Amino acid sequence: MSAQINELVTLAKGGDASAFGDLYEIYYKEMYCYAYYITGNEELAQDAVSDTVLAAFKQIDSLKKPEAFKGWLFKILCAACKRQYTANRHKQKLIYLDDEKNSDIQEQNSFDFELSLDLRNALGILSKEEQEIVLLSVLSNYKSHEIASILGCPSVTVRSKLHRALKKLRKHLEEKEV
Amino acid sequence: MNRKDKQTLDVLKKEFASLAENAKIPEKLSKQNVVGLIENNNSDFSDKTGLIIDLNNAKNTKKAKTYSAIRRTAGVAAMLFITIVCIVFLNSSSRVTIIESDPVSNKYNADNMVKYASSYEEVEKAVQEILNSPVVSPEKPTSSQKGEQTPSTSVNGSSPQTQKPAVSPLPSTVVNAVERLTDYDADIIKTDGKYLYIVASGKNAQTGRSVEQIKILKAVPADSMGIVSTVVLDDGTSSSGGENCIEICLKNNILIAVTSCKANSVAENSVYEKKTTVARFYDISDPSNAKLINCIEQDGTYITSKFLGNSFCLITSSSITSSPGTAIPSFRVNSGASVYPETSKIYFAANSPEAQYIFITATNFSDFSAPVACSAFVGSNGNMFYSSGNALFVARQYLSDQNLVMTEIYRFSVTGNSVALNGSALVEGSLASELSVDKTTNCIRLVATNKDSSSLYIFSSDMQMLGNYSGLFPGEKIKSVKFIENECYIVAGETADTTMILDLSDPVQPKKLDTVSVNGFSDASLLLNETTLLKVSISKDTEPSKIVISLYDLSNPANVTSIDTFEFFGEFDASLFSDIRSIMYSPENEIIGIPIVSYDKETGTGVSSYALLSFSNGQISFVNKFDHNLDYSEDAATRSTLIDDILYTISGEKVVAFSISEGKYLTSIILK
């Protein structure tokens, strides 16, 4: 698989949009899930992913190592999500506890709301940075030094924040069970 | 990572994996639409979203591109101007330093660490100068540390001139580092998951000389395990010397066997013992018929071998004496003519050189017909070797004119057709750690100890000093140093271990994070993953003595905690732990195997076993103990390997197979 990705990256660097499309198809679900949970809004998530894809295609020449493509792509995605989130705070989706409102929202979402409500609420108690770290670890299986490279912070910070974030999540989810 | 965190992460991963799998991607983000947008370079897209596409916040228009280019050019010009101004106004006697000044750089001119020669005559002349230079210290290193070319008795009764080394013997921490230099991929046994490749020594019944072989065993299925072929390295018939197989490694269906050789030669009425090292490459695509496809023999005693990119690097060293043909090392491919390094690839240590050399050859593993690259470094036999990417680092210790112990570090670049020196650095003191290269930044980290205290140094990939942290553990001996990602764990302490943790995430300004009193980083230790350390030690303080296996959680570097401990009680042989490769580690099965020789004090018998322990979910639990030899008799199992459910324990005499799930002996094969 990694050889295939390297080949696609090389083709994309040569301007092959179709090869870039194949690369996008490998990661788009992960990207969209990440963007959705960071921005909290489908529309913003779509915009963040689109911005990322276009920016990545334009700048793919600057990528020196094809094997670093995924991390590089997610770095752009993280920045795009941050911009979307910061510029559009008012559009953040509210979490409703009311059952009636929940069912309306469920119809609109492309995610299984029932499955993700507890999780989404739990993620909501984390700081943005903690959310980023948890999502990168959970969605993309990144190790702490890889997350550190994507977010531009020391890996010791990543590990400490991940530890704190997981502790908070655990506490919140245990309280919900009770 | 502690157990709870791991469990929480596992739960989250399951949830998100299912979400990601089932997520309905909006039509706007379908592959087809996205490719269409990219191809059309549709600027309407950003208009629809109202958001900026380009990360530099410039609109994607031709005008914006031009404006952006002008801004970039202006920016570069401004930076250049500022830089020039800084240089003009700086005091010319001081250097622009971004860290506290290093006292070493004020005493020595690190730029003059290396000399070059433009002809072989100049090389011989430079070597003669080294041989004629006064001896600094009369102490001689032991033969296990350094390669020697020692003349034996001469024909006419007079002894040829011998060269005494210039420095005292190495401290034990660095000697141990030298012994552990061999890449963990090379060992005396290897497996490809179906066959076992085992170095086996024997004796030729007719000549009485030792025989050196590699036994190839079909290991799967275990109950029909058997030797399919034998590769003979030395059949014990040669009268000139013998070969001793040091290690083997497997790569791409090629088995590499590295042997050390001794041969006697006569020159100027004296008999000299010459040491060489041979690397043989065998095609084992059919293990029952291994074919020799390449052989390189080079002067010098084996130091280490490394894979750097596509190159197999063999590094040897030797003393230089006044006997002819010892100044410049050479190699031979497939018994061909001797090949010497070009003069541009022969380097000389400028500071306190010794009459020794290091010889590096690089064989192109993808194309054996390609010329072998080589380089020689004269003036030292090196104290430590480390490789990362395409770079080989050599550390050299010597006594300066001011009687200070100094360490020079050299960086060699190894590419397909060249081995060349392209960087050097100098620190005061002897190395207390192996070199460590940060995989993200390629910075080089090390700890050195002088008579007062220890210091941590960080260099850029081209050996420029970036930062340091000095004054560590004044007056104390460093027991061990470990670099784990961006942290450095330094253990010292006279009675109880004290571990200092340094944060290296900013290489320019390393910071002290914490000092903890926890035993976890000395003795034999393995990093199981980025946050879990396994330590194995023998404690003789109790009666009976015990083997202690401990797991440590490094996820919060400021609070290193012990996760779990497991103990065996009995009389044990500690020497087995001197080689970390004797500990079998299977990350996919989360199992480790510890070699144990336990003695019965009353009967005097010893049992050689391997104890298997599981370390899943942050806990150590005992799996089983498998007895390799019920009557020890100096044939202890020193290696083991796991293939599927079968444990193979290996000693010099035999291989024994056990079923782990059934906990029983299956079969054994005699190797000799």
Side-chain angles (χ1 to χ4, degrees):
Chain A
M1 173 72 152
S2 56
Q4 182 201 2
I5 291 172
N6 288 353
E7 203 182 311
L8 287 172
V9 170
T10 308
L11 288 169
K13 275 160 85 85
D16 186 339
S18 169
F20 191 86
D22 289 339
L23 279 169
Y24 167 70
E25 199 175 28
I26 297 170
Y27 299 116
Y28 72 156
K29 283 191 178 178
E30 241 174 271
M31 289 169 68
Y32 183 55
C33 284
Y34 175 87
Y36 178 78
Y37 283 103
I38 288 291
T39 59
N41 177 287
E42 272 193 63
E43 199 185 309
L44 296 183
Q46 289 174 29
D47 288 342
V49 171
S50 311
D51 289 354
T52 301
V53 162
L54 286 167
F57 186 70
K58 280 186 192 317
Q59 295 174 43
I60 196 164
D61 268 344
S62 67
L63 176 65
K64 286 185 182 135
K65 293 181 186 174
E67 53 269 20
F69 175 77
K70 187 184 172 186
W72 174 83
L73 184 70
F74 268 78
K75 197 166 187 170
I76 300 175
L77 178 64
C78 288
C81 289
K82 254 188 203 144
R83 278 200 310 279
Q84 292 291 346
Y85 176 79
T86 312
N88 297 278
R89 270 190 221 265
H90 63 281
K91 283 189 190 172
Q92 296 305 302
K93 193 182 289 299
L94 297 174
I95 301 296
Y96 296 102
L97 300 178
D98 188 299
D99 280 346
E100 205 176 285
K101 289 223 167 70
N102 282 349
S103 60
D104 289 341
I105 292 165
Q106 193 170 357
E107 282 166 19
Q108 295 162 27
N109 283 356
S110 53
F111 282 86
D112 185 338
F113 189 83
E114 188 92 25
L115 198 59
S116 64
L117 175 60
D118 278 348
L119 261 183
R120 246 196 310 164
N121 283 347
L123 281 176
I125 64 165
L126 302 178
S127 68
K128 265 297 160 235
E129 208 169 19
E130 286 170 345
Q131 283 179 16
E132 285 173 339
I133 291 170
V134 168
L135 286 170
L136 284 171
S137 178
V138 159
L139 273 174
S140 306
N141 252 324
Y142 280 122
K143 300 212 165 121
S144 56
H145 65 275
E146 290 166 325
I147 297 173
S149 171
I150 290 171
L151 298 180
C153 63
S155 66
V156 63
T157 306
V158 169
R159 295 218 295 275
S160 295
K161 289 200 171 179
L162 180 62
H163 169 70
R164 273 205 297 276
L166 291 174
K167 204 171 167 183
K168 280 188 204 173
L169 285 173
R170 227 170 14 248
K171 192 175 171 203
H172 180 88
L173 291 168
E174 278 164 11
E175 280 168 6
K176 289 294 284 182
E177 275 177 21
V178 171
Chain B
M1 183 170 287
N2 66 42
R3 193 169 11 123
K4 282 188 180 170
D5 282 353
K6 194 168 185 294
Q7 279 170 352
T8 311
L9 260 186
D10 286 343
V11 165
L12 289 171
K13 278 179 185 174
K14 260 192 206 146
E15 296 260 11
F16 277 97
S18 152
L19 284 173
E21 192 57 43
N22 300 321
K24 292 175 213 136
I25 303 299
E27 187 56 33
K28 183 175 161 180
L29 294 184
S30 69
K31 176 185 163 185
Q32 204 177 349
N33 270 350
V34 162
V35 171
L37 285 168
I38 291 169
E39 279 170 344
N40 297 331
N41 201 12
N42 192 344
S43 60
D44 287 341
F45 189 83
S46 66
D47 293 342
K48 277 182 197 166
T49 64
L51 297 163
I52 299 161
I53 295 171
D54 188 80
L55 286 181
N56 290 327
N57 287 332
K59 286 227 165 111
N60 186 24
T61 60
K62 209 171 179 181
K63 193 175 167 184
K65 277 185 184 170
T66 312
Y67 179 58
S68 168
I70 292 171
R71 278 200 327 190
R72 273 201 297 275
T73 311
V76 168
M79 286 304 301
L80 201 57
F81 175 71
I82 292 167
T83 306
I84 292 168
V85 165
C86 286
I87 291 170
V88 165
F89 280 101
L90 272 174
N91 185 332
S92 59
S93 64
S94 73
R95 298 173 69 180
V96 176
T97 53
I98 45 179
I99 45 127
E100 59 182 287
S101 63
D102 186 334
V104 172
S105 64
N106 291 335
K107 292 179 190 169
Y108 299 95
N109 186 348
D111 291 333
N112 287 336
M113 281 164 58
V114 176
K115 290 183 192 169
Y116 304 83
S118 56
S119 67
Y120 286 119
E121 287 74 26
E122 277 189 35
V123 170
E124 296 269 4
K125 193 176 160 194
V127 168
Q128 204 54 47
E129 279 174 17
I130 294 172
L131 286 171
N132 293 338
S133 63
V135 172
V136 174
S137 164
E139 288 192 71
K140 196 169 186 174
T142 62
S143 58
S144 63
Q145 296 172 18
K146 299 182 192 270
E148 293 181 19
Q149 183 162 325
T150 318
S152 52
T153 54
S154 62
V155 172
N156 61 6
S158 64
S159 296
Q161 181 184 354
T162 56
Q163 174 64 30
K164 292 170 186 169
V167 294
S168 310
L170 297 167
S172 61
T173 49
V174 180
V175 169
N176 289 338
V178 170
E179 289 168 356
R180 286 187 284 114
L181 283 173
T182 307
D183 189 327
Y184 288 169
D185 278 343
D187 200 355
I188 53 174
I189 75 140
K190 297 300 296 178
T191 181
D192 56 11
K194 288 182 191 158
Y195 292 86
L196 294 174
Y197 303 82
I198 303 171
V199 174
S201 303
K203 201 171 259 191
N204 184 310
Q206 290 172 332
T207 63
R209 292 201 180 93
S210 64
V211 170
E212 206 72 348
Q213 303 169 335
I214 299 171
K215 299 282 185 188
I216 302 178
L217 280 77
K218 190 166 190 297
V220 176
D223 46 14
S224 58
M225 176 172 67
I227 296 174
V228 298
S229 66
T230 300
V231 172
V232 179
L233 302 170
D234 180 356
D235 61 4
T237 57
S238 168
S239 57
S240 64
E243 289 195 46
N244 174 41
C245 186
I246 302 162
E247 64 191 19
I248 54 176
C249 52
L250 289 176
K251 188 159 174 155
N252 303 344
N253 267 340
I254 293 181
L255 170 73
I256 306 170
V258 178
T259 60
S260 65
C261 310
K262 284 186 289 195
N264 294 326
S265 59
V266 178
E268 296 180 353
N269 294 327
S270 296
V271 177
Y272 291 91
E273 184 184 75
K274 187 173 178 180
K275 289 183 182 169
T276 58
T277 302
V278 180
R280 292 185 176 89
F281 302 80
Y282 296 89
D283 178 355
I284 47 157
S285 41
D286 177 6
S288 64
N289 185 20
K291 291 184 189 136
L292 180 66
I293 54 175
N294 196 51
C295 174
I296 176 166
E297 183 206 8
Q298 68 188 64
D299 295 340
T301 304
Y302 175 79
I303 294 289
T304 187
S305 59
K306 306 261 179 216
F307 273 103
L308 276 80
N310 259 349
S311 301
F312 174 79
C313 281
L314 188 61
I315 301 157
T316 55
S317 77
S318 181
S319 300
I320 301 171
T321 68
S322 54
S323 59
T326 66
I328 308 171
S330 63
F331 67 87
R332 291 146 291 283
V333 176
N334 296 325
S335 305
S338 289
V339 178
Y340 297 84
E342 299 166 8
T343 51
S344 61
K345 296 286 164 46
I346 302 177
Y347 310 97
F348 292 84
N351 298 315
S352 302
E354 304 144 44
Q356 291 161 332
Y357 66 70
I358 301 162
F359 190 33
I360 306 166
T361 60
T363 301
N364 189 327
F365 203 72
S366 310
D367 180 8
F368 288 120
S369 64
V372 173
C374 69
S375 180
F377 184 84
V378 181
S380 170
N381 68 347
N383 303 127
M384 185 178 289
F385 297 81
Y386 184 86
S387 64
S388 178
N390 278 78
L392 177 71
F393 298 91
V394 179
R396 175 201 167 220
Q397 185 181 302
Y398 66 94
L399 270 177
S400 70
D401 297 336
Q402 286 80 17
N403 227 29
L404 292 171
V405 175
M406 307 295 295
T407 300
E408 291 175 341
I409 302 114
Y410 296 94
R411 184 187 192 281
F412 288 84
S413 166
V414 178
T415 60
N417 54 3
S418 163
V419 178
L421 178 68
N422 64 356
S424 61
L426 178 69
V427 299
E428 186 183 340
S430 57
L431 289 184
S433 74
E434 295 183 6
L435 299 183
S436 160
V437 175
D438 182 332
K439 301 279 185 252
T440 313
T441 61
N442 286 329
C443 288
I444 298 125
R445 299 97 58 102
L446 61 95
V447 172
T449 300
N450 61 25
K451 57 180 170 36
D452 300 319
S453 65
S454 299
S455 299
L456 165 88
Y457 296 92
I458 304 178
F459 297 91
S460 63
S461 57
D462 60 353
M463 307 303 296
Q464 301 300 316
M465 171 93 76
L466 292 176
N468 76 347
Y469 196 104
S470 52
L472 298 165
F473 292 108
E476 291 189 66
K477 185 183 167 183
I478 300 289
K479 288 184 181 178
S480 80
V481 177
K482 277 210 179 346
F483 292 94
I484 300 171
E485 291 203 24
N486 279 331
E487 285 91 47
C488 175
Y489 298 80
I490 305 175
V491 184
E494 291 300 322
T495 50
D497 281 354
T498 302
T499 305
M500 182 180 294
I501 308 168
L502 298 174
D503 176 7
L504 313 180
S505 49
D506 180 357
V508 170
Q509 286 183 323
K511 291 192 283 284
K512 184 170 128 181
L513 268 183
D514 202 353
T515 302
V516 296
S517 295
V518 60
N519 294 334
F521 301 94
S522 50
D523 294 315
S525 56
L526 265 176
L527 196 63
L528 298 182
N529 54 53
E530 59 174 11
T531 57
T532 313
L533 184 83
L534 174 90
K535 177 192 160 188
V536 181
S537 60
I538 285 188
S539 170
K540 297 271 188 189
D541 298 334
T542 57
E543 181 63 35
S545 55
K546 62 183 179 183
I547 294 177
V548 181
I549 295 115
S550 312
L551 279 182
Y552 291 87
D553 177 10
L554 310 175
S555 56
N556 187 352
N559 183 25
V560 174
T561 50
S562 170
I563 303 170
D564 203 2
T565 301
F566 192 91
E567 296 173 344
F568 293 97
F569 288 90
E571 294 301 320
F572 301 108
D573 184 347
S575 65
L576 294 173
F577 300 155
S578 62
D579 188 343
I580 196 88
R581 294 171 297 185
S582 66
I583 298 176
M584 186 269 292
Y585 171 48
S586 174
E588 57 274 13
N589 298 307
E590 292 185 305
I591 280 183
I592 53 165
I594 311 279
I596 294 178
V597 173
S598 49
Y599 294 100
D600 184 322
K601 269 186 178 169
E602 286 179 15
T603 63
T605 53
V607 176
S608 161
S609 322
Y610 255 84
L612 289 198
L613 301 121
S614 155
F615 54 88
S616 59
N617 296 324
Q619 273 183 323
I620 306 173
S621 46
F622 180 71
V623 174
N624 212 332
K625 183 163 86 76
F626 297 92
D627 293 336
H628 174 85
N629 195 334
L630 293 175
D631 185 2
Y632 169 39
S633 301
E634 297 187 4
D635 181 47
T638 56
R639 296 287 192 274
S640 69
T641 190
L642 209 58
I643 300 177
D644 298 329
D645 178 52
I646 309 296
L647 175 74
Y648 299 85
T649 58
I650 299 140
S651 63
E653 303 271 337
K654 61 182 178 180
V655 179
V656 184
F658 302 90
S659 162
I660 295 175
S661 54
E662 294 174 44
K664 69 175 191 184
Y665 162 92
L666 289 176
T667 186
S668 62
I669 296 286
I670 301 296
L671 293 174
K672 289 193 176 176

